[in-house]
Amino acid sequence: YSKLYNYDITVRYSDGTSETIKASKGEFSGLDFTKPGYQIATLLYKNYELSFGVNIIKPVTGSITVKFSLLGDTIHDSGEEHTLVGGNLQEWLKEEEVEVPDNSTVLNLIERVFAQKDISFKNPAGNYITEITKDGVTLAEFTNGANSGWMYTLNGEHSDLGVAEQYLEDGDVIVFHYTDDYTKESAIGGEITAEEVMEL
């Protein structure tokens, strides 16, 4: 927090003049320092506003324990849809407790678990897993239709953050799952609520 206040900010005015100020001269908003992850901060100075991204990380104190499970599917043609909400996915990895370092993301967790279980995956953009291969079966986005692909829930709700953006807290429960139709899974598609997914 103190580092933010010490940043030099150059303010350029419409008349061509400019001034350099310490960020402490402005007023910060939009930051929750108790919650790790990417946040948008706003600095208000006089009548000027500056928005920028900040990655909040917690002090390293050791490790946390989370629960992880992996639900997959078969490769199949059109017909019955396999979804988390439908309860008809295959258990590829049973739920287990996993210890990870502080400030770990969902991606860090997946990398650790998959390395132990000899599961491979592709993450070409760095924030979305497009393909997972286990025991010779490869499921990728679009394998089972135009809306199929990999998703995850965090404590029963689908996160709107990618795997590299979602930080974990001690006790979190992550279900990484395939779906034939993401629009059927949660409020992302607007057809069911996160509470309904949690109840199932």
Side-chain angles (χ1 to χ4, degrees), residues 143-159:
T143 296
N144 287 346
N147 289 336
S148 63
W150 289 97
M151 305 176 69
Y152 72 93
T153 61
L154 175 68
N155 301 324
E157 297 185 18
H158 285 95
S159 173

Side-chain angles (χ1 to χ4, degrees), residues 6-183:
N6 287 322
Y7 278 130
D8 288 329
I9 306 292
T10 299
V11 182
R12 292 185 173 87
Y13 300 103
S14 58
D15 64 1
T17 62
S18 65
E19 68 172 316
T20 299
I21 64 166
K22 287 290 184 188
S24 57
K25 286 193 173 182
E27 182 180 335
F28 281 103
S29 63
L31 290 177
D32 180 355
F33 289 97
T34 66
K35 182 179 179 182
Y38 294 95
Q39 300 179 32
I40 300 298
T42 300
L43 176 64
L44 183 64
Y45 174 69
K46 295 183 178 177
N47 293 324
Y48 303 96
E49 189 176 284
L50 171 68
S51 294
F52 55 96
V54 177
N55 186 22
I56 305 295
I57 56 176
K58 298 167 68 176
V60 176
T61 58
S63 61
I64 59 173
T65 300
V66 299
K67 291 181 179 179
F68 178 83
S69 59
L70 178 66
L71 302 179
D73 195 5
T74 58
I75 299 173
H76 59 86
D77 295 325
S78 59
E80 181 184 12
E81 289 181 335
H82 299 163
T83 60
L84 179 66
V85 70
N88 54 358
L89 295 172
Q90 295 182 353
E91 187 176 64
W92 280 16
L93 289 179
K94 291 183 178 181
E95 182 178 90
E96 63 176 298
E97 289 191 344
V98 183
E99 188 174 298
V100 293
D102 283 338
N103 297 313
S104 289
T105 63
V106 171
L107 178 59
N108 298 142
L109 170 66
I110 287 170
E111 290 171 337
R112 176 171 292 223
V113 172
F114 285 9
Q116 295 172 350
K117 305 294 184 181
D118 195 28
I119 297 172
S120 62
F121 69 97
K122 291 184 179 177
N123 180 22
N127 203 29
Y128 173 68
I129 292 178
T130 59
E131 177 180 304
I132 295 177
T133 300
K134 181 181 183 295
D135 298 331
V137 176
T138 298
L139 283 177
E141 58 178 344
F142 314 131
T143 296
N144 287 346
N147 289 336
S148 63
W150 289 97
M151 305 176 69
Y152 72 93
T153 61
L154 175 68
N155 301 324
E157 297 185 18
H158 285 95
S159 173
D160 58 358
L161 297 177
V163 292
E165 298 173 320
Q166 181 63 66
Y167 283 80
L168 298 170
E169 299 280 351
D170 190 58
D172 280 347
V173 178
I174 298 88
V175 177
F176 208 84
H177 70 91
Y178 195 75
T179 182
D180 288 349
D181 188 348
Y182 74 90
T183 68

